[in-house]
């Protein structure tokens, strides 16, 4: 992908004559060559001349075919990098001027021209040309048309190999910031939802079987914690990717007196990459980035799965508003939580993007290989998809309510207070394994009589174990069970209230505003 600085303008570039192109010498002739008339030869030459010679075309006598050009172009997707390409070129031009490799007037012309190109792009006035291959060549060729000779100096001590990596890292850095902001928005929505449902007890599940009672805010904050780790992984990834490849050139660096530390600092990087070969072949940062996105997508998919289950008739715990639901084309009664089903489904795309990058890189030798042109579309897709998943999850969270009556009716089933009853016996001095067996016997008795644990009489309990006393009823029932939790991080009311306060402060949420909103909704 290397490009070379040309010393001639496009109008003076060498183009093969008809004699060269259509030589009858045996050594240059295809066995299947069909003789053409001079008129036909000139017509073909005129057609070829319509194509702009490539900026790397000095070594070539023929232009690429239309099919090759169509297959190898990347401008259809990498124009997404235009802003970062211009940023990198500005930093590079300023460094070249400071090092005396170009004049100050040349630098000023380049910077002014790049500003105008960015203005045209953002105003929709820029012509993206497929025959110029990629975003870099489109911008450089246009700059040459605009300002002439100074533009030809811009690519001094730079290759498209280090240029594209610089652009891509700058783009990924900004993308990480976008995703982190979307993560925070979803965290805020989840904490607000938790604050709106303080004190609501729901069944907690393991193996999708009823296990113990938990506070709904505790359950919602579990997703907030997962999202916080996702944000932390993004930050770690950004720290590792923030080293500058610019100046590594094609793979070996340059003998010209450039200052890589200057361009690195100008672009907000921590430092230049130490090894020029590594600089142009490194895609670790992309694989790590897409890995982080995949973990985030899996977390969102799990949230989607839970909420889709809870919205089903079988659970009936969650009621999405009409504004985040869809219907059926044939069944008029249906109300589907489609946004969260799609969140669950789109996680597959994000994981697939990661697998694409891993497969792309697994067999590549050092240093740059054209295969790596295929790294951008999966990254663009991954970022777009993850941001969309985060945004719609936050939207869904802001437009759901929980069916308290249905939840309350569901709580007696499943003996959710059984483990708390075992803790009671431990407090009475029984070994836990003994307590576990005693409570199992109590549950068996309840199942045979279709009773709850709290419905057993003290005589029933004492018949099973003399350790039971009247105070056992302070442990039975889901409300008592929840109130007995006290360990750090547990679902106990005090613990959950403390965790809510932590997240309200960390996410800078106005708790008073939420309380006012809740009061208005209740009225």
């Amino acid at each position: 992908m290397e490009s070379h600085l040309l010393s001639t303008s496009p109008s003076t570039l060498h183009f093969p004559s008809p004699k060269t192109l259509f030589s009858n010498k045996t050594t240059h002739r295809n066995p299947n060559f069909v003789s053409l008339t001079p008129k036909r030869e000139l017509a073909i030459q005129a057609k070829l001349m319509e194509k702009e010679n490539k900026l790397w075309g000095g070594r070539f006598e023929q232009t690429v075919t239309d099919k090759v050009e169509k297959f190898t172009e990347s401008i259809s997707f990498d124009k997404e990098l235009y802003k970062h390409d211009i940023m990198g070129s500005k930093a590079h031009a300023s460094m070249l001027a400071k090092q005396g490799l170009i004049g100050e007037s040349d630098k000023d012309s380049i910077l002014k021209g790049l500003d105008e190109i960015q203005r045209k792009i953002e105003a929709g006035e820029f012509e993206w040309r497929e025959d110029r291959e990629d975003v870099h060549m489109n911008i450089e060729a246009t700059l040459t048309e605009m300002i002439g000779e100074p533009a030809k100096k811009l690519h001094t001590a730079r290759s498209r190999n280090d240029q594209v990596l610089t652009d891509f890292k700058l783009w990924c850095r900004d993308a990480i910031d976008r995703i982190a902001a979307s993560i925070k928005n979803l965290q805020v929505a989840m904490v607000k939802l938790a604050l709106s449902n303080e004190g609501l007890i729901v069944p907690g599940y393991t193996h999708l079987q009823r296990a113990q009672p938990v506070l709904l805010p505790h359950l919602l904050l579990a997703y907030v914690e997962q999202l916080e780790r996702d944000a932390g992984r993004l930050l770690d990834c950004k720290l590792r990717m923030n080293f500058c490849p610019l100046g590594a050139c094609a793979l070996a660096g340059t003998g010209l007196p450039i200052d890589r530390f200057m361009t690195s600092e100008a672009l907000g990087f921590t430092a230049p990459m130490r090894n020029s070969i590594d600089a142009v072949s490194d895609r670790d940062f992309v694989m790590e980035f897409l890995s982080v996105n995949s973990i985030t997508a899996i977390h969102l998919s799990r949230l989607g799965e839970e909420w889709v289950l809870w919205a089903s008739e079988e659970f009936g715990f969650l009621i999405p508003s009409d504004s985040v639901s869809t219907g059926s084309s044939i069944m008029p009664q249906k109300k589907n939580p489609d946004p969260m089903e799609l969140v669950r489904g789109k996680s597959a795309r994000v994981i697939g993007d990661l697998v694409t990058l891993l497969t792309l890189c697994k067999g590549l030798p050092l240093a740059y290989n054209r295969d790596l042109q295929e790294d951008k579309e999966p990254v663009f897709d991954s970022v777009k998809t993850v941001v969309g998943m985060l945004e719609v999850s936050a939207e869904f969270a802001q437009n759901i309510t929980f069916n308290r009556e249905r939840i309350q009716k569901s709580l007696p089933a499943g003996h959710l207070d059984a483990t708390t009853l075992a803790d009671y016996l431990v407090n009475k001095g029984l070994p836990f394994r003994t307590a576990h067996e005693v409570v199992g016997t109590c549950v068996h008795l309840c199942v045979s009589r279709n009773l709850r644990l709290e419905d057993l009489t003290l005589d029933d309990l004492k018949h099973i174990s003399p350790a039971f006393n009247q105070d056992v009823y302070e442990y039975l029932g889901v409300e008592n069970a929840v109130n007995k939790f006290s360990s750090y991080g547990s679902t106990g009311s005090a613990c959950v209230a403390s965790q809510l306060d932590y997240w309200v402060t960390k996410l800078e949420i106005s708790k008073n505003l939420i309380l006012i909103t809740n009061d208005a909704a209740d009225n």
Side-chain angles (χ1 to χ4, degrees):
M1 190 168 173
E2 301 86 351
S3 55
H4 305 281
L5 188 67
L6 297 175
S7 58
T8 54
S9 65
S11 61
T12 60
L13 289 172
H14 169 71
F15 193 87
S17 67
K19 183 176 180 181
T20 305
L21 281 172
F22 304 105
S23 171
N24 288 325
K25 292 182 180 179
T26 305
T27 54
H28 296 290
R29 188 169 157 190
N30 188 305
N32 300 316
F33 182 79
V34 178
S35 298
L36 300 174
T37 64
K39 183 177 180 180
R40 179 61 177 155
E41 290 175 359
L42 290 172
I44 292 175
Q45 184 201 19
K47 180 67 176 174
L48 290 172
M49 284 290 286
E50 292 177 6
K51 286 189 177 182
E52 179 179 79
N53 207 338
K54 307 295 185 184
L55 293 181
W56 43 258
R59 179 251 186 272
F60 294 83
E61 290 189 348
Q62 296 180 355
T63 60
V64 297
T65 67
D66 291 340
K67 287 184 178 179
V68 169
E69 187 162 80
K70 186 76 175 175
F71 187 71
T72 58
E73 66 83 23
S74 60
I75 189 59
S76 57
F77 55 86
D78 70 10
K79 59 188 176 184
E80 173 85 13
L81 302 173
Y82 79 88
K83 188 182 299 182
H84 305 91
D85 191 71
I86 290 171
M87 284 173 58
S89 291
K90 285 181 175 180
H92 188 66
S94 298
M95 181 276 293
L96 292 176
K98 180 177 177 293
Q99 296 300 106
L101 292 167
I102 65 173
E104 285 293 326
S105 62
D106 290 338
K107 179 201 75 173
D108 293 342
S109 295
I110 290 169
L111 297 183
K112 185 177 179 181
L114 289 171
D115 283 339
E116 177 60 14
I117 288 173
Q118 182 165 344
R119 184 200 68 76
K120 284 188 173 184
I121 293 172
E122 292 174 352
E125 301 170 3
F126 189 85
E127 181 189 4
W128 296 106
R129 290 178 48 169
E130 190 177 273
D131 61 338
R132 287 175 175 172
E133 297 183 23
D134 57 31
V135 63
H136 325 294
M137 297 308 239
N138 266 264
I139 290 174
E140 184 178 338
T142 303
L143 183 66
T144 302
E145 292 171 353
M146 289 173 57
I147 67 172
E149 208 65 26
K152 300 175 187 177
K153 302 177 182 180
L154 177 59
H155 213 55
T156 304
R158 184 176 73 173
S159 163
R160 272 190 293 174
N161 295 358
D162 61 333
Q163 183 181 3
V164 67
L165 259 295
T166 304
D167 296 356
F168 204 17
K169 282 194 170 187
L170 291 171
W171 188 93
C172 288
R173 208 169 63 183
D174 287 349
I176 284 174
D177 291 340
R178 293 203 307 275
I179 296 171
S182 295
I183 286 176
K184 182 176 180 181
N185 287 339
L186 177 54
Q187 286 179 302
V188 169
M190 297 292 278
V191 172
K192 287 182 177 179
L193 191 60
L195 288 167
S196 301
N197 291 277
E198 282 191 276
L200 179 57
I201 300 173
V202 296
Y205 295 84
T206 63
H207 308 277
L208 209 56
Q209 304 295 317
R210 285 166 173 260
Q212 292 178 275
V214 297
L215 289 171
L216 177 61
H218 190 55
L219 186 67
L220 296 174
L221 290 182
Y223 287 106
V224 177
E225 294 283 355
Q226 290 180 357
L227 291 166
E228 186 68 9
R229 292 194 295 274
D230 294 332
R233 276 184 282 267
L234 282 172
L235 178 59
D236 290 344
C237 176
K238 184 177 177 181
L239 290 173
R240 267 185 292 279
M241 90 166 45
N242 203 40
F243 289 85
C244 186
L246 193 58
C249 298
L251 80 162
T254 179
L256 295 170
I258 63 172
D259 185 349
R260 293 188 63 207
F261 287 88
M262 177 182 172
T263 48
S264 174
E265 183 177 357
L267 294 170
F269 286 104
T270 304
M273 295 184 73
R274 284 189 296 267
N275 185 293
S276 62
I277 297 176
D278 179 50
V280 298
S281 58
D282 169 41
R283 291 302 185 279
D284 293 3
F285 72 96
V286 183
M287 291 184 280
E288 182 178 6
F289 185 19
L290 296 196
S291 177
V292 172
N293 282 354
S294 297
I295 296 171
T296 302
I298 288 169
H299 287 156
L300 296 174
S301 181
R302 294 180 69 182
L303 173 65
E305 170 70 4
E306 186 146 72
W307 281 358
V308 167
L309 282 174
W310 280 28
S312 68
E313 192 65 36
E314 284 70 23
F315 276 78
F317 292 172
L318 183 151
I319 305 171
S321 74
D322 291 353
S323 62
V324 291
S325 303
T326 63
S328 166
S329 63
I330 189 173
M331 296 170 285
Q333 84 280 13
K334 292 294 294 297
K335 182 178 178 180
N336 303 323
D338 277 9
M340 299 313 293
E341 292 181 50
L342 279 172
V343 164
R344 188 177 59 191
K346 284 181 181 290
S347 64
R349 288 181 63 140
V350 182
I351 296 167
D353 291 329
L354 169 62
V355 173
T356 297
L357 256 295
L358 294 172
T359 307
L360 175 68
C361 295
K362 74 174 183 62
L364 291 183
L366 295 175
Y368 181 83
N369 298 275
R370 189 65 180 267
D371 313 51
L372 293 172
Q373 178 176 299
E374 294 298 303
D375 62 356
K376 291 164 198 65
E377 287 182 287
V379 176
F380 295 160
D381 181 69
S382 176
V383 170
K384 179 182 177 182
T385 305
V386 164
V387 169
M389 293 169 70
L390 288 162
E391 288 178 348
V392 82
S393 296
E395 186 80 4
F396 198 84
Q398 294 165 19
N399 288 279
I400 60 175
T401 55
F402 292 94
N403 188 338
R404 291 172 175 264
E405 182 179 356
R406 182 72 173 266
I407 292 169
Q408 188 65 37
K409 287 180 179 179
S410 77
L411 289 173
H415 310 290
L416 300 176
D417 47 357
T419 305
T420 307
L421 183 58
D423 290 344
Y424 167 83
L425 293 173
V426 170
N427 284 330
K428 295 294 183 179
L430 270 68
F432 177 77
R433 284 302 173 199
T434 303
H436 187 284
E437 183 178 355
V438 168
V439 174
T441 304
C442 294
V443 170
H444 180 73
L445 179 61
C446 287
V447 171
S448 66
R449 296 182 182 179
N450 194 25
L451 298 174
R452 300 171 297 176
L453 284 169
E454 60 190 297
D455 295 331
L456 294 175
T457 67
L458 186 57
D459 287 341
D460 291 331
L461 294 169
K462 280 186 170 293
H463 183 73
I464 296 170
S465 173
F468 287 117
N469 288 310
Q470 187 64 39
D471 59 348
V472 68
Y473 294 102
E474 297 174 9
Y475 287 75
L476 295 176
V478 292
E479 291 83 2
N480 286 334
V482 166
N483 289 333
K484 292 299 180 183
F485 288 102
S486 58
S487 61
Y488 177 79
S490 73
T491 196
S493 299
C495 297
V496 174
S498 175
Q499 289 296 307
L500 278 170
D501 287 340
Y502 169 82
W503 286 111
V504 165
T505 301
K506 183 175 178 62
L507 298 173
E508 301 175 322
I509 299 172
S510 173
K511 195 171 182 180
N512 290 333
L513 181 61
I514 295 170
L515 294 175
I516 292 170
T517 303
N518 290 343
D519 291 341
D522 291 339
N523 294 330

